[in-house]
Amino acid sequence: MFKKLDPLLHSELRLAVMSILVGVDDADFVYIKNKTGATAGNLSVQLDKLSEANYITVKKGYKGKKPCTTCAVTDVGIKAFEEYVEALRDYIARPDKE
Amino acid sequence: MILREKRNIVYKNENLFGLYYKLVYICKEVYGVCAALGASTNIISISYLLIMETKNKMTAEQSLKLINETIENNRRVITKKNGSYYILWGILLSVISLVIFFLWDKTGSAAWNLLWFSMPIIGHPLALLLDRGEEKVPGSFLSRLTAWIWGIFGVFSLSLALIAFFWVPMNLSLVIILLFGFAECISGITLKSWPVIVSGLIIGLGGAVLAAGVLATSASQILLFTLAGVVLILTGVLIKIQK
């Protein structure tokens, strides 16, 4: 029996965001937007979905006078990401059973 | 039957009440059409969303490929940022070591080695300026580890210099160049950069042999640090241009 793929992570943009955040302490909105190539609106929606599931934290602050949104992955998010990768490996390792 | 009768009554009576019932009937009909339209609009919207969600779903291979590429790109961005710091400290090391060599050689006084303490004083503000100028890169375990490696090297070098000046004289160049090579090798391993590892080995071991042998008492031993600075600059450039 295949492990179930997390539907929240099984989306291109959300997966890209999580892949960026697992490798860093935190990242600001502009950095994530530049690396994923997403529009600001779409990225904002996806970050909200990940935040609601407690996969990431989103902190809104200021750098000087400029507003700055910083995202960081949570322990729950790291665990979900690890389980997702394990499930993917399971799918790839047993292609004949698909 | 009743409705037809009501309609007949409405059409037969042309007074206000008749008009009122006519309007109510028309509004009810219009409302019914709108409700039907609204339901179909909702069905269309939901179908569109489902189609878009399905389009955005990936195969298992695509997902793993995306994860690998994203993590690798991120690591490369952080590594390239480290390249800038290698260039900065390489230039500083080369310039200060050349200045000390010329002054020591001309005056014959090893006291000019005190100028080494100016390196962190000049270097750290320049590093902060460099940080502001470049693209902001998020902090990571890798970048913190590299910073700590060189920070510890700095602490060891400074401590050994103070011990050598005030307490136990020793061949400082031998010890510090060896520490330098060690720090550079470890940085290369963490950054997975072969040029950094190899240059660390060459400078560390080669420099230690020269410092212990032919250059032991001469001002020329300072040129080992000039060479170390040049190697730092070259590895910084290599890291930045690495694809």
Side-chain angles (χ1 to χ4, degrees), chain B residues 16-64:
Chain B
L16 279 171
F17 278 117
L19 269 171
Y20 169 73
Y21 278 118
K22 212 193 262 183
L23 274 169
V24 166
Y25 173 75
I26 291 166
C27 286
K28 275 186 183 173
E29 291 293 308
V30 168
Y31 177 76
V33 167
C34 285
L37 267 174
S40 62
T41 310
N42 281 340
I43 289 166
I44 290 165
S45 307
I46 290 164
S47 308
Y48 177 77
L49 283 168
L50 281 172
I51 289 163
M52 291 311 290
E53 275 289 315
T54 313
K55 257 177 99 174
N56 287 334
K57 287 197 189 302
M58 304 167 287
T59 62
E61 286 88 357
Q62 283 172 331
S63 295
L64 268 181

Short mmCIF file of all heavy atoms in Angstrom, two decimals, chain B residues 16-64:
data_model
loop_
_atom_site.label_atom_id
_atom_site.label_comp_id
_atom_site.label_asym_id
_atom_site.label_seq_id
_atom_site.Cartn_x
_atom_site.Cartn_y
_atom_site.Cartn_z
N LEU B 16 -54.72 48.87 -9.55
CA LEU B 16 -53.41 48.81 -8.89
C LEU B 16 -53.08 47.42 -8.35
O LEU B 16 -51.96 46.94 -8.46
CB LEU B 16 -53.35 49.83 -7.74
CG LEU B 16 -53.05 51.27 -8.17
CD1 LEU B 16 -53.23 52.21 -7.00
CD2 LEU B 16 -51.65 51.40 -8.72
N PHE B 17 -54.09 46.79 -7.77
CA PHE B 17 -53.85 45.46 -7.22
C PHE B 17 -53.41 44.50 -8.32
O PHE B 17 -52.52 43.69 -8.15
CB PHE B 17 -55.10 44.90 -6.53
CG PHE B 17 -55.26 45.40 -5.13
CD1 PHE B 17 -56.37 46.17 -4.77
CD2 PHE B 17 -54.31 45.12 -4.16
CE1 PHE B 17 -56.49 46.63 -3.48
CE2 PHE B 17 -54.45 45.59 -2.88
CZ PHE B 17 -55.53 46.35 -2.53
N GLY B 18 -54.01 44.63 -9.46
CA GLY B 18 -53.66 43.77 -10.59
C GLY B 18 -52.23 43.99 -11.02
O GLY B 18 -51.47 43.06 -11.24
N LEU B 19 -51.88 45.26 -11.10
CA LEU B 19 -50.50 45.60 -11.48
C LEU B 19 -49.51 45.03 -10.48
O LEU B 19 -48.45 44.51 -10.83
CB LEU B 19 -50.35 47.13 -11.54
CG LEU B 19 -50.61 47.78 -12.90
CD1 LEU B 19 -50.63 49.28 -12.76
CD2 LEU B 19 -49.58 47.36 -13.92
N TYR B 20 -49.89 45.14 -9.19
CA TYR B 20 -49.01 44.65 -8.12
C TYR B 20 -48.75 43.15 -8.29
O TYR B 20 -47.61 42.70 -8.26
CB TYR B 20 -49.64 44.96 -6.77
CG TYR B 20 -48.97 44.26 -5.61
CD1 TYR B 20 -47.72 44.68 -5.15
CD2 TYR B 20 -49.56 43.15 -4.98
CE1 TYR B 20 -47.08 44.03 -4.11
CE2 TYR B 20 -48.92 42.51 -3.93
CZ TYR B 20 -47.70 42.95 -3.51
OH TYR B 20 -47.06 42.32 -2.48
N TYR B 21 -49.83 42.40 -8.52
CA TYR B 21 -49.68 40.95 -8.64
C TYR B 21 -48.87 40.59 -9.88
O TYR B 21 -48.11 39.64 -9.91
CB TYR B 21 -51.06 40.27 -8.69
CG TYR B 21 -51.65 40.09 -7.31
CD1 TYR B 21 -52.86 40.71 -6.96
CD2 TYR B 21 -51.01 39.29 -6.36
CE1 TYR B 21 -53.38 40.56 -5.70
CE2 TYR B 21 -51.53 39.14 -5.10
CZ TYR B 21 -52.73 39.78 -4.77
OH TYR B 21 -53.24 39.62 -3.52
N LYS B 22 -49.07 41.43 -10.96
CA LYS B 22 -48.31 41.21 -12.18
C LYS B 22 -46.82 41.36 -11.91
O LYS B 22 -46.00 40.55 -12.35
CB LYS B 22 -48.77 42.24 -13.23
CG LYS B 22 -48.70 41.73 -14.66
CD LYS B 22 -48.85 42.85 -15.64
CE LYS B 22 -50.25 42.93 -16.15
NZ LYS B 22 -50.44 43.98 -17.17
N LEU B 23 -46.48 42.44 -11.17
CA LEU B 23 -45.07 42.72 -10.85
C LEU B 23 -44.47 41.58 -10.01
O LEU B 23 -43.35 41.14 -10.25
CB LEU B 23 -44.95 44.04 -10.08
CG LEU B 23 -44.85 45.29 -10.97
CD1 LEU B 23 -45.02 46.53 -10.12
CD2 LEU B 23 -43.54 45.33 -11.71
N VAL B 24 -45.22 41.14 -9.01
CA VAL B 24 -44.74 40.06 -8.13
C VAL B 24 -44.46 38.81 -8.94
O VAL B 24 -43.44 38.15 -8.78
CB VAL B 24 -45.78 39.78 -7.01
CG1 VAL B 24 -45.47 38.46 -6.31
CG2 VAL B 24 -45.78 40.91 -6.01
N TYR B 25 -45.38 38.49 -9.85
CA TYR B 25 -45.23 37.29 -10.68
C TYR B 25 -43.97 37.39 -11.54
O TYR B 25 -43.19 36.45 -11.64
CB TYR B 25 -46.47 37.12 -11.56
CG TYR B 25 -46.32 36.02 -12.56
CD1 TYR B 25 -46.40 34.67 -12.18
CD2 TYR B 25 -46.06 36.29 -13.92
CE1 TYR B 25 -46.24 33.66 -13.09
CE2 TYR B 25 -45.91 35.27 -14.83
CZ TYR B 25 -45.99 33.97 -14.42
OH TYR B 25 -45.84 32.95 -15.33
N ILE B 26 -43.79 38.61 -12.15
CA ILE B 26 -42.61 38.81 -13.02
C ILE B 26 -41.33 38.68 -12.19
O ILE B 26 -40.36 38.04 -12.62
CB ILE B 26 -42.67 40.19 -13.73
CG1 ILE B 26 -43.79 40.19 -14.77
CG2 ILE B 26 -41.34 40.52 -14.39
CD1 ILE B 26 -44.14 41.59 -15.26
N CYS B 27 -41.35 39.29 -10.99
CA CYS B 27 -40.15 39.22 -10.13
C CYS B 27 -39.83 37.78 -9.75
O CYS B 27 -38.66 37.38 -9.74
CB CYS B 27 -40.36 40.04 -8.85
SG CYS B 27 -40.28 41.81 -9.14
N LYS B 28 -40.87 37.01 -9.46
CA LYS B 28 -40.65 35.61 -9.09
C LYS B 28 -40.02 34.85 -10.25
O LYS B 28 -39.10 34.05 -10.08
CB LYS B 28 -41.98 34.95 -8.70
CG LYS B 28 -42.36 35.18 -7.26
CD LYS B 28 -43.60 34.38 -6.92
CE LYS B 28 -44.02 34.67 -5.50
NZ LYS B 28 -45.30 34.05 -5.18
N GLU B 29 -40.51 35.11 -11.46
CA GLU B 29 -39.98 34.43 -12.64
C GLU B 29 -38.52 34.81 -12.85
O GLU B 29 -37.67 33.97 -13.13
CB GLU B 29 -40.80 34.82 -13.89
CG GLU B 29 -42.22 34.28 -13.90
CD GLU B 29 -42.25 32.77 -14.04
OE1 GLU B 29 -41.62 32.22 -14.96
OE2 GLU B 29 -42.90 32.14 -13.18
N VAL B 30 -38.26 36.14 -12.73
CA VAL B 30 -36.89 36.63 -12.92
C VAL B 30 -35.96 36.02 -11.86
O VAL B 30 -34.85 35.58 -12.15
CB VAL B 30 -36.86 38.18 -12.87
CG1 VAL B 30 -35.42 38.69 -12.78
CG2 VAL B 30 -37.55 38.75 -14.10
N TYR B 31 -36.44 35.99 -10.61
CA TYR B 31 -35.65 35.43 -9.50
C TYR B 31 -35.31 33.97 -9.77
O TYR B 31 -34.18 33.52 -9.55
CB TYR B 31 -36.41 35.56 -8.18
CG TYR B 31 -35.69 34.92 -7.01
CD1 TYR B 31 -34.60 35.55 -6.42
CD2 TYR B 31 -36.08 33.68 -6.51
CE1 TYR B 31 -33.93 34.97 -5.38
CE2 TYR B 31 -35.41 33.09 -5.46
CZ TYR B 31 -34.33 33.73 -4.90
OH TYR B 31 -33.65 33.14 -3.86
N GLY B 32 -36.28 33.23 -10.29
CA GLY B 32 -36.07 31.82 -10.59
C GLY B 32 -34.97 31.65 -11.63
O GLY B 32 -34.10 30.79 -11.49
N VAL B 33 -35.01 32.52 -12.65
CA VAL B 33 -33.99 32.45 -13.71
C VAL B 33 -32.62 32.77 -13.13
O VAL B 33 -31.62 32.10 -13.40
CB VAL B 33 -34.34 33.43 -14.86
CG1 VAL B 33 -33.18 33.60 -15.80
CG2 VAL B 33 -35.57 32.92 -15.60
N CYS B 34 -32.56 33.83 -12.29
CA CYS B 34 -31.28 34.23 -11.68
C CYS B 34 -30.72 33.12 -10.79
O CYS B 34 -29.53 32.85 -10.81
CB CYS B 34 -31.46 35.49 -10.83
SG CYS B 34 -31.64 36.97 -11.84
N ALA B 35 -31.60 32.50 -10.01
CA ALA B 35 -31.16 31.42 -9.12
C ALA B 35 -30.55 30.28 -9.93
O ALA B 35 -29.50 29.75 -9.58
CB ALA B 35 -32.32 30.92 -8.28
N ALA B 36 -31.21 29.97 -11.04
CA ALA B 36 -30.72 28.89 -11.90
C ALA B 36 -29.36 29.26 -12.48
O ALA B 36 -28.43 28.47 -12.51
CB ALA B 36 -31.72 28.62 -13.02
N LEU B 37 -29.26 30.54 -12.92
CA LEU B 37 -27.99 31.03 -13.47
C LEU B 37 -26.88 30.97 -12.42
O LEU B 37 -25.76 30.56 -12.69
CB LEU B 37 -28.15 32.48 -13.94
CG LEU B 37 -28.50 32.69 -15.42
CD1 LEU B 37 -28.76 34.16 -15.69
CD2 LEU B 37 -27.43 32.15 -16.34
N GLY B 38 -27.21 31.39 -11.18
CA GLY B 38 -26.24 31.42 -10.09
C GLY B 38 -25.70 30.04 -9.79
O GLY B 38 -24.51 29.82 -9.65
N ALA B 39 -26.58 29.09 -9.78
CA ALA B 39 -26.17 27.71 -9.49
C ALA B 39 -25.22 27.21 -10.57
O ALA B 39 -24.19 26.62 -10.28
CB ALA B 39 -27.39 26.81 -9.42
N SER B 40 -25.55 27.52 -11.81
CA SER B 40 -24.68 27.04 -12.90
C SER B 40 -23.34 27.76 -12.86
O SER B 40 -22.31 27.19 -13.18
CB SER B 40 -25.35 27.22 -14.26
OG SER B 40 -25.59 28.59 -14.49
N THR B 41 -23.34 29.08 -12.45
CA THR B 41 -22.08 29.82 -12.33
C THR B 41 -21.18 29.17 -11.28
O THR B 41 -19.98 29.01 -11.48
CB THR B 41 -22.32 31.29 -11.94
OG1 THR B 41 -23.31 31.84 -12.81
CG2 THR B 41 -21.04 32.10 -12.05
N ASN B 42 -21.80 28.79 -10.14
CA ASN B 42 -21.03 28.13 -9.08
C ASN B 42 -20.43 26.83 -9.57
O ASN B 42 -19.28 26.52 -9.30
CB ASN B 42 -21.92 27.84 -7.87
CG ASN B 42 -22.12 29.09 -7.03
OD1 ASN B 42 -21.32 30.03 -7.12
ND2 ASN B 42 -23.16 29.13 -6.25
N ILE B 43 -21.24 26.09 -10.36
CA ILE B 43 -20.76 24.80 -10.87
C ILE B 43 -19.56 25.03 -11.78
O ILE B 43 -18.56 24.32 -11.71
CB ILE B 43 -21.89 24.05 -11.61
CG1 ILE B 43 -22.94 23.55 -10.60
CG2 ILE B 43 -21.33 22.85 -12.40
CD1 ILE B 43 -24.24 23.11 -11.21
N ILE B 44 -19.67 26.09 -12.63
CA ILE B 44 -18.56 26.38 -13.55
C ILE B 44 -17.30 26.76 -12.75
O ILE B 44 -16.20 26.30 -13.04
CB ILE B 44 -18.96 27.51 -14.53
CG1 ILE B 44 -20.01 27.02 -15.52
CG2 ILE B 44 -17.73 28.02 -15.30
CD1 ILE B 44 -20.71 28.12 -16.28
N SER B 45 -17.46 27.61 -11.71
CA SER B 45 -16.31 28.06 -10.91
C SER B 45 -15.61 26.89 -10.25
O SER B 45 -14.39 26.78 -10.26
CB SER B 45 -16.75 29.04 -9.82
OG SER B 45 -17.48 30.07 -10.37
N ILE B 46 -16.44 26.01 -9.65
CA ILE B 46 -15.87 24.86 -8.93
C ILE B 46 -15.12 23.95 -9.91
O ILE B 46 -14.02 23.49 -9.62
CB ILE B 46 -16.97 24.07 -8.17
CG1 ILE B 46 -17.48 24.93 -7.00
CG2 ILE B 46 -16.45 22.74 -7.66
CD1 ILE B 46 -18.80 24.46 -6.42
N SER B 47 -15.73 23.75 -11.08
CA SER B 47 -15.08 22.88 -12.08
C SER B 47 -13.75 23.48 -12.50
O SER B 47 -12.75 22.77 -12.65
CB SER B 47 -15.96 22.74 -13.32
OG SER B 47 -17.25 22.35 -12.95
N TYR B 48 -13.73 24.83 -12.73
CA TYR B 48 -12.50 25.51 -13.13
C TYR B 48 -11.42 25.32 -12.08
O TYR B 48 -10.27 25.00 -12.39
CB TYR B 48 -12.78 26.99 -13.35
CG TYR B 48 -11.55 27.79 -13.68
CD1 TYR B 48 -11.00 27.76 -14.96
CD2 TYR B 48 -10.93 28.60 -12.73
CE1 TYR B 48 -9.87 28.49 -15.27
CE2 TYR B 48 -9.80 29.32 -13.04
CZ TYR B 48 -9.28 29.27 -14.31
OH TYR B 48 -8.15 30.00 -14.60
N LEU B 49 -11.79 25.49 -10.81
CA LEU B 49 -10.80 25.35 -9.73
C LEU B 49 -10.25 23.94 -9.68
O LEU B 49 -9.06 23.72 -9.50
CB LEU B 49 -11.43 25.72 -8.38
CG LEU B 49 -11.58 27.22 -8.13
CD1 LEU B 49 -12.46 27.46 -6.92
CD2 LEU B 49 -10.23 27.88 -7.93
N LEU B 50 -11.15 22.96 -9.86
CA LEU B 50 -10.71 21.56 -9.82
C LEU B 50 -9.74 21.27 -10.96
O LEU B 50 -8.74 20.60 -10.77
CB LEU B 50 -11.92 20.62 -9.91
CG LEU B 50 -12.70 20.43 -8.61
CD1 LEU B 50 -13.99 19.65 -8.87
CD2 LEU B 50 -11.86 19.70 -7.58
N ILE B 51 -10.07 21.83 -12.15
CA ILE B 51 -9.20 21.61 -13.32
C ILE B 51 -7.82 22.22 -13.05
O ILE B 51 -6.80 21.59 -13.30
CB ILE B 51 -9.82 22.21 -14.61
CG1 ILE B 51 -11.03 21.37 -15.04
CG2 ILE B 51 -8.79 22.26 -15.74
CD1 ILE B 51 -11.94 22.06 -16.03
N MET B 52 -7.81 23.46 -12.51
CA MET B 52 -6.52 24.14 -12.26
C MET B 52 -5.73 23.38 -11.22
O MET B 52 -4.52 23.25 -11.32
CB MET B 52 -6.75 25.58 -11.78
CG MET B 52 -7.30 26.50 -12.87
SD MET B 52 -6.40 26.39 -14.42
CE MET B 52 -4.87 27.16 -13.98
N GLU B 53 -6.37 22.88 -10.16
CA GLU B 53 -5.67 22.13 -9.12
C GLU B 53 -5.06 20.87 -9.71
O GLU B 53 -3.95 20.49 -9.39
CB GLU B 53 -6.64 21.74 -7.99
CG GLU B 53 -6.82 22.81 -6.94
CD GLU B 53 -5.59 22.98 -6.05
OE1 GLU B 53 -5.03 21.97 -5.61
OE2 GLU B 53 -5.20 24.12 -5.82
N THR B 54 -5.85 20.21 -10.61
CA THR B 54 -5.37 18.96 -11.21
C THR B 54 -4.15 19.26 -12.10
O THR B 54 -3.18 18.52 -12.10
CB THR B 54 -6.48 18.31 -12.06
OG1 THR B 54 -7.67 18.30 -11.29
CG2 THR B 54 -6.11 16.90 -12.45
N LYS B 55 -4.26 20.43 -12.85
CA LYS B 55 -3.15 20.80 -13.72
C LYS B 55 -1.87 21.01 -12.91
O LYS B 55 -0.78 20.72 -13.36
CB LYS B 55 -3.48 22.11 -14.44
CG LYS B 55 -3.90 21.95 -15.90
CD LYS B 55 -4.26 23.28 -16.49
CE LYS B 55 -3.12 23.85 -17.30
NZ LYS B 55 -3.54 25.08 -18.00
N ASN B 56 -2.01 21.60 -11.69
CA ASN B 56 -0.85 21.94 -10.89
C ASN B 56 -0.27 20.73 -10.16
O ASN B 56 0.78 20.81 -9.58
CB ASN B 56 -1.21 23.03 -9.86
CG ASN B 56 -1.39 24.37 -10.54
OD1 ASN B 56 -0.82 24.60 -11.58
ND2 ASN B 56 -2.20 25.22 -9.97
N LYS B 57 -0.97 19.61 -10.12
CA LYS B 57 -0.44 18.44 -9.45
C LYS B 57 0.64 17.83 -10.32
O LYS B 57 0.62 17.91 -11.54
CB LYS B 57 -1.57 17.43 -9.19
CG LYS B 57 -2.50 17.88 -8.08
CD LYS B 57 -3.32 16.74 -7.55
CE LYS B 57 -4.41 17.20 -6.60
NZ LYS B 57 -3.92 17.93 -5.45
N MET B 58 1.66 17.20 -9.65
CA MET B 58 2.81 16.70 -10.38
C MET B 58 2.93 15.21 -10.16
O MET B 58 2.35 14.65 -9.24
CB MET B 58 4.05 17.39 -9.86
CG MET B 58 3.99 18.92 -9.93
SD MET B 58 5.30 19.66 -8.98
CE MET B 58 4.73 19.34 -7.33
N THR B 59 3.77 14.59 -11.00
CA THR B 59 4.09 13.19 -10.78
C THR B 59 5.12 13.14 -9.65
O THR B 59 5.72 14.16 -9.30
CB THR B 59 4.70 12.56 -12.04
OG1 THR B 59 5.93 13.27 -12.33
CG2 THR B 59 3.77 12.67 -13.23
N ALA B 60 5.37 11.92 -9.14
CA ALA B 60 6.31 11.75 -8.04
C ALA B 60 7.72 12.18 -8.47
O ALA B 60 8.45 12.84 -7.72
CB ALA B 60 6.32 10.30 -7.59
N GLU B 61 8.07 11.82 -9.73
CA GLU B 61 9.41 12.18 -10.23
C GLU B 61 9.57 13.68 -10.34
O GLU B 61 10.61 14.24 -9.99
CB GLU B 61 9.65 11.54 -11.62
CG GLU B 61 9.91 10.05 -11.59
CD GLU B 61 8.63 9.25 -11.66
OE1 GLU B 61 7.53 9.84 -11.67
OE2 GLU B 61 8.72 8.01 -11.67
N GLN B 62 8.52 14.34 -10.84
CA GLN B 62 8.57 15.80 -10.98
C GLN B 62 8.73 16.48 -9.63
O GLN B 62 9.47 17.45 -9.48
CB GLN B 62 7.30 16.32 -11.67
CG GLN B 62 7.28 16.09 -13.17
CD GLN B 62 5.93 16.44 -13.79
OE1 GLN B 62 4.90 16.32 -13.14
NE2 GLN B 62 5.93 16.82 -15.04
N SER B 63 8.02 15.95 -8.64
CA SER B 63 8.10 16.54 -7.30
C SER B 63 9.50 16.42 -6.74
O SER B 63 10.07 17.39 -6.22
CB SER B 63 7.12 15.82 -6.35
OG SER B 63 5.80 16.03 -6.75
N LEU B 64 10.09 15.22 -6.85
CA LEU B 64 11.45 15.02 -6.32
C LEU B 64 12.46 15.88 -7.07
O LEU B 64 13.38 16.44 -6.46
CB LEU B 64 11.85 13.55 -6.42
CG LEU B 64 11.55 12.70 -5.20
CD1 LEU B 64 12.01 11.27 -5.40
CD2 LEU B 64 12.18 13.26 -3.94
#
